[in-house]
Amino acid sequence: MKTLRFIIFVSFLIITDFALAQKVEFTVLGAKGLIKVGEAKLKVGSKITTGQSIHIGENSYLGLATADNRVMEITQQGTYTTQQ
């Protein structure tokens, strides 16, 4: 009986971990101007996860590091959504 409870408990933890986990796609290296994720303004060191939308205002700059340590810059105004 204790073994069955343990198996159910471990299964619950694993399922919960998969359900709540969001993969970090980018880390903010530099930001200038109006840059938001939802209502929150992005700061250096912020993490951007899968499925988040980033709004970049006019005359703004966003420098990002990808999960595999590549660097990218976005300077064009618009809304961008991260994907897997």
Side-chain angles (χ1 to χ4, degrees):
M1 190 64 158
K2 288 184 180 183
T3 305
L4 179 61
R5 285 185 184 175
F6 179 74
I7 292 171
I8 291 172
F9 177 71
V10 170
S11 298
F12 175 74
L13 289 178
I14 291 171
I15 291 170
T16 304
D17 185 50
F18 283 124
L20 298 177
Q22 291 184 337
K23 183 178 176 189
V24 173
E25 295 291 333
F26 301 100
T27 302
V28 177
L29 297 176
K32 178 183 171 188
L34 178 64
I35 302 170
K36 291 185 174 185
V37 172
E39 294 298 317
K41 187 173 180 181
L42 280 181
K43 298 176 186 176
V44 173
S46 297
K47 306 290 185 194
I48 301 171
T49 58
T50 303
Q52 288 186 306
S53 292
I54 306 161
H55 175 73
I56 299 179
E58 189 174 353
N59 297 323
S60 296
Y61 163 84
L62 179 61
L64 301 169
T66 63
D68 58 353
N69 295 323
R70 287 185 273 161
V71 177
M72 64 184 298
E73 298 177 341
I74 304 174
T75 56
Q76 191 168 356
Q77 179 180 0
T79 301
Y80 302 86
T81 303
T82 59
Q83 299 177 355
Q84 281 186 340

